[in-house]
Amino acid sequence: PVMRGAYVLTKFLGDPPPPPPESVAAVEPDLQMTMTVREQLSAHREQTECARCHDKMDPLGFALECFDVMGQYRTHYRAAISAGQKGVPQIFNGRPAPFRVGPAVDATGVMPNGEAFEDMDEFRSQLFKMDRQMAQNLLEQFIVYATGAPPSFADRQFVEDALDRLEPNGFRIKSMIHEVVASSIFRTK
């Protein structure tokens, strides 16, 4: 959830979290599922230097926990089985890879704007409500790609004006590219 939340903040909302402090150890996954990921991260957030970023980042990652590492939808975690336990039989790469059904996935959280969501569908709806912020991030990424440099303070007015022109048509990507290519930023940087 941490990496997924950081990805949403960085790539969709344009608000990347700062790098973690070097003095704090990473959270190791619990393959036996004695604690859920949410419980592990809750304990991690008790450290004040961690809570500042994780309070904003983790809920976004929890929304995406309903997808496993292969992108398949899941309602429960899979847990490793210990010796003597029975598991769900499964073959992976020609080898037995049994597992047991772990705890249910809890995909609830709160967006950075304070709106709560209960599942992936509500999370997606909340993201769509942040369309201007996501469009601004994408427009700025196009400027970086087109000019090789991020928008400067002097370019802020162009970004705001372009977003105002793009908003009535739903921030279409084609129109966004045209805005960047036709701008003085593209011609002079």
Side-chain angles (χ1 to χ4, degrees):
V2 175
M3 294 177 73
R4 291 173 174 183
Y7 185 87
V8 170
L9 279 173
T10 304
K11 301 295 183 183
F12 293 166
L13 302 178
D15 187 16
E22 290 184 25
S23 62
V24 177
V27 177
E28 294 297 324
D30 179 9
L31 298 177
Q32 296 297 322
M33 293 304 291
T34 56
M35 292 176 70
T36 65
V37 176
R38 189 177 286 268
E39 290 168 340
Q40 286 178 302
L41 288 172
S42 178
H44 184 70
R45 280 194 306 271
E46 289 175 5
Q47 300 175 36
T48 54
E49 62 269 13
C50 300
R52 186 176 57 239
C53 297
H54 281 275
D55 286 344
K56 184 168 85 169
M57 186 170 41
D58 292 352
L60 304 178
F62 289 139
L64 301 173
E65 274 296 285
C66 56
F67 298 101
D68 66 12
V69 296
M70 298 302 289
Q72 289 184 316
Y73 188 82
R74 64 182 173 185
T75 57
H76 288 79
Y77 290 103
R78 291 182 175 184
I81 60 170
S82 300
Q85 284 184 322
K86 284 201 162 221
V88 177
Q90 185 166 352
I91 303 297
F92 181 74
N93 284 343
R95 295 184 180 162
F99 65 91
R100 66 180 171 84
V101 177
V105 173
D106 180 5
T108 61
V110 178
M111 299 295 287
N113 63 7
E115 295 282 335
F117 56 87
E118 293 296 318
D119 56 20
M120 182 61 200
D121 291 331
E122 286 185 21
F123 173 69
R124 186 178 319 134
S125 296
Q126 293 296 334
L127 275 179
F128 285 140
K129 290 179 185 177
M130 303 172 83
D131 59 345
R132 187 173 177 101
Q133 184 177 353
M134 288 195 300
Q136 178 177 344
N137 182 47
L138 185 58
L139 180 64
E140 289 175 357
Q141 294 306 313
F142 282 144
I143 291 171
V144 169
Y145 183 77
T147 65
S152 65
F153 182 77
D155 301 331
R156 289 279 149 218
Q157 191 59 49
F158 163 75
V159 170
E160 288 301 318
D161 292 345
L163 289 171
D164 290 341
R165 288 189 295 273
L166 293 164
E167 192 166 18
N169 292 323
F171 302 108
R172 293 181 43 182
I173 292 177
K174 180 179 178 181
S175 301
M176 203 176 286
I177 293 170
H178 283 265
E179 284 284 340
V180 172
V181 172
S183 72
S184 62
I185 296 171
F186 180 70
R187 293 190 309 269
T188 59
K189 275 193 178 180

